[in-house]
Amino acid sequence: MSIEDPYELLSKWFEAKEYLVVGKSVTRSDSIEKAIGKARFLEDYYEPGRMLFVKQLLSTEPHAIIESIDYSDALKLTNIVGVFTAKNIPGINNVGYALPDQPLLAEGKVRYHGEPIALIASWDIDDAFKALEMIRVKYKRLTPIYDPLEAMERKDILIHDEQGSNIAFTTKVRKGDIERGFSESSTIVKNTYKTHHQEHAYLETEAALAIPDIQGRINIISCAQYPHLAQRIVSKVLGIPASNIRIITPYIGGAFGGKDDEGPLVAAKAALVAYLTGKPAFLIYSREESIRIHPKREATIIEYTSGVDDNGYLKAIKVKIIHDTGAYTNRGPYILWRATMHSSGPYYVPNAWVDGYCVYTNKVPQGSFRGFGNPSIQFAVESQMDELAKKLGIDPIELRLKNLLRPGMDTITGQKLDHSVGVADLVDKLARKMEWSKVRRELEDWNKRSNRYKRGLGIGVAWHGISTSRGVPDWSNAYIKIERDGSVNVYTGIVEIGQGTPTTSYRQIVAEALGAPLEYINVVFGTTDAPDTGATHASRGTSIGAIGVLVAAAKIRERLNRLASDILKTNPENIVIRNGRVFDKISNREIRWEELIQEAYNRGVEVSATGYFYLPKGKFDDKIGQGFAYPAYSFVAVAVLVEIDTWTGKVRVLKAWPGLAAGKIINPTQVEGQIEGAIAQGIGYVLYEKLEFGSKGEILNADLTDYVIPTIQDVTLDVEKPVYVEDKYKYGPFGAKGVGEMAFIPLPAAIANAVSHALNKRVTTLPLTPENVLKLIGGL
Amino acid sequence: MKVRFILNNREVEVDVDPREILLDTLRYRFGLKSVKRGCERGECGTCTVLINDKPVYSCMVLTVQVEGQRITTVEGLVNDDLFKKIIVSFAEKGAIQCGFCTPGFILTAYALYRIKDKPSIEDILKALEGNLCRCTGYKKIVDALTSIRS
Ligand code: FES
Ligand code: FES
């Protein structure tokens, strides 16, 4: 028998000393198709007139009882096939992910301005718009609440009556004894931090096309980041078995978490129309609808107290985290959990007391966005670290190096980190490479000479747990089959949202493990035809998603080694398969890959396999917030240099120095792409992007003119090559951990610290728009 | 209304509603899927096409306005040497992630390089400031373009 045990296979490949394609900047397989317009995105499947066009009716009230919906006039238009509301849902309308509080289509009540109420199905686009104008909704207004602090106090106005409170969910961590910790502290810093929403602004808005087929199944071309979740949600809404629902995913024009929340709901709405009418149904969000409807990055209020002793060691933290979750919790509890678990930053803290509150308001819901609750808390943590360093009179890097987690230490949830903890090395290496102290000193001199412009250097260091929080089950899987001609198909549920996982790292991993030429590997991504792979979120596409890919490929490789050893009359250990050459390293006898596969078919050796792997996790006790939080952490540090025009309040990031301790780097160019993209998105978040809410809680800037995302002129192009510490994680594929979200997480902290350094004033509130910066300076 | 124009070097004629935007005409009537819909308000640049060799947002143009004009999309440039040089450089430098913005960037860059074979960084930034990208952070796009300056 060949080895089939996933642990054995993973550890065998973990030990690899040299690599053929892993670790190389292999070019993506989708680049040219995308450049010449051949790559298919969602709308490319829509054919006007031959499919129903679906338009959504959205609430124009923030908090109201729906008394009636009258669409009788709309139905008189020739091209209108139907108008559908919650009443028409054959299955279950409730689609809440974390708590059962969210309807697909508003039922009885609306809770935010922009909430979907009805779906109009029309053969013609113009008629769909006409129908929209003809539907009359009668509302009975209720008092709205927009401020989370007020919502926490009010019992007389409940956004969800059934909850009995506007506090939807709470979290906590209790470690050690904070009173003792603070009494041992000689320096204590206390601040309240505020962060704002962020709109994803992926350039492709949400869409789905649902096509009923002859076997009574529904095929959905979807933009969801987790096809199997979309399948589950559709199954629930329609009340039909999941096996009757097939999800496929084309290329997706950016997602960043937003299509993890909204994607399954878009699929369910299109599927509902297709199911009720028997016709293919296409739903696309306009830019305005996209901004009004889908959940946003968390807006937070964080009260943070930290204490250090004379030697600069952290002794205690006390933290209160409030998340404005908007009208629905969506993934709010998970986001709050992540913020809570990470609330110490990547530091050793012996005593911690943390409380988290996820609070309803009548605004757009909070949701998943690159970093998932972590950028806001790291902003607080890292601002505290700089303030502590300042009070102690020591360099911010020095204070961090004293306190950073090292292998063998435990986190604030009491989880011992036994390996893959490269953060201290990382910070040390980055600070040396960029000559941190020298640059800081030079800037301080520069500032003495410069009146109008001030410059500052700041760093953000952060950690990010891989996989789901608190020991919640997570797994990986994939299905691989080698065709008779030697070409290889890999089936995965992981989607291609621009990150390049299926189009680079999966091909590399399979080519490495099988020894087949890279160009023979084809990855079929984003489909429920693959086994449930989990979502493309939480930086898990390569870190977790690829475990299954590696295990499946490694299983087949073991079988091929045996087969080749039979053919070449040697031991399996002597077999080398690389880039399509199969040879015995002793005798140098050789056959070609194609011949080997042909022989496998002839001799009855199976060349297909699944790669199921259930991630080993520990227990977590919710009551005290102690226990196993994550299987491993990725670590990141980014330093930025900023320049502030003190007359206008405008901040520019002039340069960034990123560093990552994310285990084995599978494809450096793709990793750089994630880092550079995250830095630009972080610059946008901190300096330019801000949702404006009107008196009805409506988003006033639901377009890309007034919601400003950075152009090529607004970012820094001076991003240094990343510093890597390859602190490999034993269950990661070749030791890889997650990358996608990382560089975003410390960015708000890094920029805020740099601005604080330049102005010698503590930034506690984001964004750093010119107006807010002038206020900070005292000029407004 | 009948409109005649040159599309990717071919003379074409369509009968359109006077309110129809060029973006819809190109996507729905000619199946040119490289022309992307990102905002429909002239904010993002994903719908960029060349009209008489100049980059224009096709969502801001009515089809009836292009009577007699020359329209180019990436589909019409696949055999063009300069275009090939640009796309290969984009691919090799990792300037393409989700790719939704890519055809728009490439057309804008192509238009620039047609008139200047050694554009300065400022020229490049100026030319591309009307094209948004949410994935790459723009650095690799600029790298791809500076590396082909001859
Ligand atoms: S779709 Fe035309 S500029 Fe955005
Ligand atoms: S690559 Fe995704 S928007 Fe540019």
Side-chain angles (χ1 to χ4, degrees):
Chain A
M1 271 301 286
S2 52
I3 307 174
E4 303 271 321
D5 174 58
Y7 287 95
E8 251 182 87
L9 292 168
L10 285 175
S11 84
K12 185 168 172 181
W13 287 94
F14 182 85
E15 302 299 333
K17 292 278 171 298
E18 33 165 2
Y19 306 94
L20 297 171
V21 278
V22 160
K24 310 237 157 52
S25 284
V26 164
T27 309
R28 303 169 62 117
S29 58
D30 56 354
S31 298
I32 298 296
E33 288 173 68
K34 284 176 172 174
I36 63 176
K38 269 179 103 177
R40 287 286 172 262
F41 293 84
L42 235 145
E43 197 202 338
D44 302 348
Y45 295 91
Y46 171 57
E47 297 193 25
R50 301 180 55 187
M51 302 164 174
L52 291 172
F53 183 84
V54 182
K55 189 81 198 149
Q56 305 181 76
L57 173 77
L58 307 183
S59 167
T60 50
E61 286 296 326
H63 196 194
I65 306 281
I66 301 174
E67 294 197 318
S68 63
I69 307 171
D70 177 8
Y71 47 82
S72 50
D73 286 348
L75 290 178
K76 291 180 194 140
L77 290 170
T78 32
N79 283 307
I80 300 297
V81 175
V83 175
F84 307 110
T85 65
K87 281 208 302 276
N88 302 99
I89 290 177
I92 296 166
N93 188 21
N94 198 317
V95 289
Y97 296 121
L99 299 177
D101 64 357
Q102 183 175 0
L104 183 70
L105 296 172
E107 196 166 348
K109 189 173 173 181
V110 289
R111 297 181 177 87
Y112 74 100
H113 190 287
E115 178 168 359
I117 297 176
L119 303 171
I120 299 159
S122 169
W123 287 115
D124 177 80
I125 299 178
D126 286 344
D127 276 7
F129 279 85
K130 273 187 215 146
L132 191 62
E133 299 299 319
M134 294 162 78
I135 302 178
R136 276 172 298 276
V137 183
K138 232 177 112 197
Y139 296 103
K140 185 173 150 229
R141 289 188 183 152
L142 302 170
T143 312
I145 316 181
Y146 306 123
D147 176 9
L149 295 178
E150 184 191 343
M152 284 172 84
E153 301 303 326
R154 298 287 288 253
K155 296 275 179 286
D156 54 331
I157 304 165
L158 292 179
I159 294 167
H160 290 263
D161 298 307
E162 69 285 0
Q163 286 273 348
S165 159
N166 292 317
I167 299 173
F169 194 79
T170 59
T171 56
K172 66 171 95 143
V173 163
R174 304 283 184 261
K175 183 190 184 190
D177 173 355
I178 57 160
E179 273 175 30
R180 212 186 60 218
F182 283 120
S183 70
E184 287 166 9
S185 303
S186 54
T187 305
I188 293 176
V189 166
K190 183 174 179 189
N191 273 312
T192 301
Y193 300 92
K194 289 194 181 130
T195 68
H196 57 301
H197 292 96
Q198 187 180 22
E199 156 61 33
H200 303 72
Y202 20 71
L203 289 192
E204 182 192 32
T205 60
E206 300 84 347
L209 170 60
I211 310 159
D213 79 11
I214 41 172
Q215 296 158 337
R217 307 199 324 166
I218 294 192
N219 296 284
I220 304 162
I221 306 178
S222 147
C223 66
Q225 288 175 239
Y226 185 1
H228 295 82
L229 173 64
Q231 181 189 47
R232 249 186 286 153
I233 296 283
V234 174
S235 155
K236 191 168 155 185
V237 169
L238 300 186
I240 63 173
S243 56
N244 280 13
I245 296 151
R246 176 166 178 252
I247 307 281
I248 48 178
T249 314
Y251 289 113
I252 298 177
F256 315 113
K259 290 173 185 170
D260 201 19
D261 298 334
E262 197 62 23
L265 310 188
V266 190
K269 286 182 258 195
L272 177 65
V273 174
Y275 183 80
L276 294 173
T277 60
K279 300 285 186 293
F282 175 68
L283 168 62
I284 186 167
Y285 288 27
S286 68
R287 178 59 60 189
E288 184 192 332
E289 288 163 339
S290 173
I291 297 179
R292 285 177 65 192
I293 298 171
H294 80 240
K296 306 289 179 266
R297 177 183 300 290
E298 72 279 358
T300 70
I301 302 168
I302 300 169
E303 293 171 20
Y304 207 118
T305 312
S306 17
V308 288
D309 67 12
D310 282 337
N311 300 318
Y313 290 103
L314 284 164
K315 285 288 153 192
I317 58 169
K318 182 159 195 271
V319 190
K320 182 173 176 186
I321 306 167
I322 298 167
H323 282 182
D324 175 356
T325 198
Y328 298 102
T329 48
N330 179 44
R331 286 191 164 86
Y334 307 144
I335 296 169
L336 186 63
W337 264 121
R338 189 165 276 273
T340 307
M341 307 276 121
H342 289 81
S343 59
S344 60
Y347 304 106
Y348 175 70
V349 178
N351 306 293
W353 179 287
V354 188
D355 287 306
Y357 300 88
C358 174
V359 183
Y360 290 124
T361 59
N362 291 108
K363 296 204 292 278
V364 67
Q366 155 184 305
S368 319
F369 197 155
R370 199 181 220 162
F372 205 71
N374 203 10
S376 44
I377 191 72
Q378 302 302 309
F379 161 60
V381 170
E382 289 296 90
S383 300
Q384 291 286 105
M385 290 305 276
D386 267 26
E387 283 305 289
L388 289 168
K390 198 168 150 189
K391 279 202 166 179
L392 288 167
I394 66 172
D395 183 87
I397 296 272
E398 193 190 327
L399 179 70
R400 284 172 174 81
L401 286 172
K402 274 178 193 279
N403 289 286
L404 283 167
L405 286 164
R406 288 175 166 77
M409 289 183 172
D410 62 345
T411 67
I412 50 163
T413 68
Q415 181 185 352
K416 190 168 159 180
L417 302 179
D418 57 356
H419 80 296
S420 194
V421 190
V423 62
D425 284 353
L426 174 72
V427 172
D428 186 47
K429 209 167 148 186
L430 182 68
R432 282 174 207 277
K433 190 187 149 197
M434 65 175 286
E435 300 187 283
W436 165 269
S437 312
K438 188 164 151 242
V439 178
R440 280 266 289 201
R441 262 198 319 277
E442 284 171 3
L443 286 179
E444 283 155 17
D445 289 342
W446 192 90
N447 282 344
K448 281 183 203 136
R449 294 192 306 271
S450 173
N451 198 8
R452 174 170 175 181
Y453 294 96
K454 297 285 176 197
R455 290 187 174 181
L457 182 68
I459 191 165
V461 183
W463 60 334
H464 197 66
I466 298 308
S467 177
T468 39
S469 307
R470 288 176 301 148
V472 170
D474 196 6
W475 64 89
S476 185
N477 208 347
Y479 170 57
I480 298 183
K481 65 180 167 118
I482 307 180
E483 309 294 348
R484 253 174 196 273
D485 63 358
S487 62
V488 182
N489 265 316
V490 182
Y491 289 81
T492 174
I494 294 297
V495 299
E496 179 53 72
I497 49 183
Q499 85 286 32
T501 304
T503 49
T504 55
S505 67
Y506 283 16
R507 291 164 55 237
Q508 289 172 269
I509 287 167
V510 173
E512 187 81 43
L514 284 180
L518 188 66
E519 57 282 8
Y520 284 24
I521 319 290
N522 177 49
V523 180
V524 182
F525 55 81
T527 171
T528 49
D529 292 347
D532 191 336
T533 323
T536 309
H537 67 195
S539 305
R540 71 185 286 293
T542 295
S543 61
I544 310 287
I547 302 174
V549 173
L550 175 58
V551 169
K555 278 184 193 171
I556 300 175
R557 172 63 182 269
E558 293 295 320
R559 300 175 201 154
L560 292 178
N561 280 355
R562 282 193 82 82
L563 172 66
S565 71
D566 284 350
I567 298 170
L568 298 172
K569 310 223 172 340
T570 180
N571 283 328
E573 297 77 64
N574 296 332
I575 295 294
V576 179
I577 310 181
R578 57 194 327 168
N579 197 20
R581 284 181 60 216
V582 184
F583 59 96
D584 168 13
K585 66 180 172 206
I586 309 293
S587 71
N588 273 328
R589 272 195 303 270
E590 177 172 342
I591 53 168
R592 288 188 314 122
W593 169 260
E594 285 81 355
E595 293 171 281
L596 179 68
I597 299 306
Q598 192 58 49
E599 275 308 303
Y601 274 86
N602 292 344
R603 299 192 191 190
V605 174
E606 189 190 0
V607 286
S608 61
T610 54
Y612 186 71
F613 182 74
Y614 188 79
L615 214 57
K617 291 188 174 186
K619 291 257 177 301
F620 189 87
D621 183 348
D622 279 341
K623 284 201 286 301
I624 49 169
Q626 288 291 292
F628 185 98
Y630 302 95
Y633 293 83
S634 276
F635 301 94
V636 55
V638 181
V640 297
L641 167 64
V642 301
E643 181 176 280
I644 301 151
D645 180 340
T646 59
W647 295 4
T648 63
K650 192 166 165 42
V651 179
R652 277 198 71 92
V653 174
L654 301 180
K655 187 176 171 94
W657 295 263
L660 261 188
K664 178 76 194 159
I665 298 298
I666 308 275
N667 186 316
T669 298
Q670 293 308 311
V671 171
E672 283 168 27
Q674 287 303 305
I675 290 174
E676 291 160 11
I679 289 175
Q681 211 168 42
I683 290 174
Y685 178 56
V686 179
L687 302 184
Y688 302 102
E689 300 177 32
K690 184 168 192 287
L691 285 176
E692 302 288 351
F693 292 93
S695 60
K696 283 187 152 192
E698 77 277 26
I699 296 172
L700 296 172
N701 50 348
D703 58 65
L704 298 176
T705 307
D706 296 317
Y707 186 87
V708 182
I709 67 169
T711 71
I712 202 164
Q713 303 272 20
D714 302 323
V715 298
T716 177
L717 299 170
D718 194 358
V719 178
E720 277 288 313
K721 283 272 177 209
V723 165
Y724 295 123
V725 170
E726 292 197 327
D727 54 349
K728 299 201 297 178
Y729 163 52
K730 64 183 172 189
Y731 299 131
F734 298 94
K737 299 189 283 186
V739 166
E741 300 166 278
M742 285 328 137
F744 190 97
I745 297 166
L747 240 276
I751 298 177
N753 281 341
V755 169
S756 302
H757 175 230
L759 299 176
N760 203 17
K761 297 218 166 142
R762 174 50 38 194
V763 170
T764 54
T765 303
L766 301 180
L768 292 169
T769 52
E771 197 192 346
N772 286 347
V773 172
L774 287 180
K775 268 190 216 151
L776 186 72
I777 298 172
L780 268 188
Chain B
M1 268 178 89
K2 282 213 169 55
V3 192
R4 286 158 66 119
F5 55 97
I6 316 274
L7 177 58
N8 292 333
N9 294 323
R10 255 186 21 194
E11 207 168 306
V12 295
E13 186 182 286
V14 279
D15 194 357
V16 296
D17 183 297
R19 293 168 310 158
E20 183 164 310
I21 54 174
L22 183 60
L23 167 64
D24 283 341
T25 304
L26 296 177
R27 286 192 72 87
Y28 294 154
R29 294 176 195 269
F30 294 101
L32 295 169
K33 312 286 191 184
S34 69
V35 192
K36 305 279 195 268
R37 186 187 314 273
C39 68
E40 297 177 287
R41 292 181 40 146
E43 297 162 346
C44 73
T46 60
C47 66
T48 302
V49 299
L50 301 182
I51 300 186
N52 304 331
D53 301 324
K54 290 209 183 61
V56 175
Y57 296 150
S58 65
C59 68
M60 298 302 280
V61 176
L62 296 174
T63 304
V64 292
Q65 292 174 301
V66 302
E67 171 74 36
Q69 318 275 311
R70 220 158 22 82
I71 316 281
T72 313
T73 68
V74 291
E75 286 89 343
L77 290 173
V78 283
N79 294 318
D80 182 286
D81 287 335
L82 171 60
F83 175 77
K84 280 193 234 168
K85 200 157 118 183
I86 296 174
I87 65 170
V88 168
S89 185
F90 264 63
E92 283 175 356
K93 295 285 178 201
I96 302 173
Q97 289 191 23
C98 82
F100 204 74
C101 67
T102 306
F105 270 95
I106 286 176
L107 284 175
T108 309
Y110 176 87
L112 172 67
Y113 273 82
R114 262 185 54 105
I115 49 172
K116 265 195 181 167
D117 59 1
K118 251 191 175 160
S120 65
I121 291 271
E122 287 67 35
D123 292 335
I124 293 174
L125 300 188
K126 187 90 203 96
L128 295 178
E129 70 185 359
N131 290 80
L132 295 177
C133 174
R134 191 58 155 169
C135 301
T136 63
Y138 303 104
K139 178 172 162 58
K140 297 209 183 302
I141 293 176
V142 175
D143 289 349
L145 290 174
T146 47
S147 74
I148 57 164
R149 284 189 290 190
S150 46

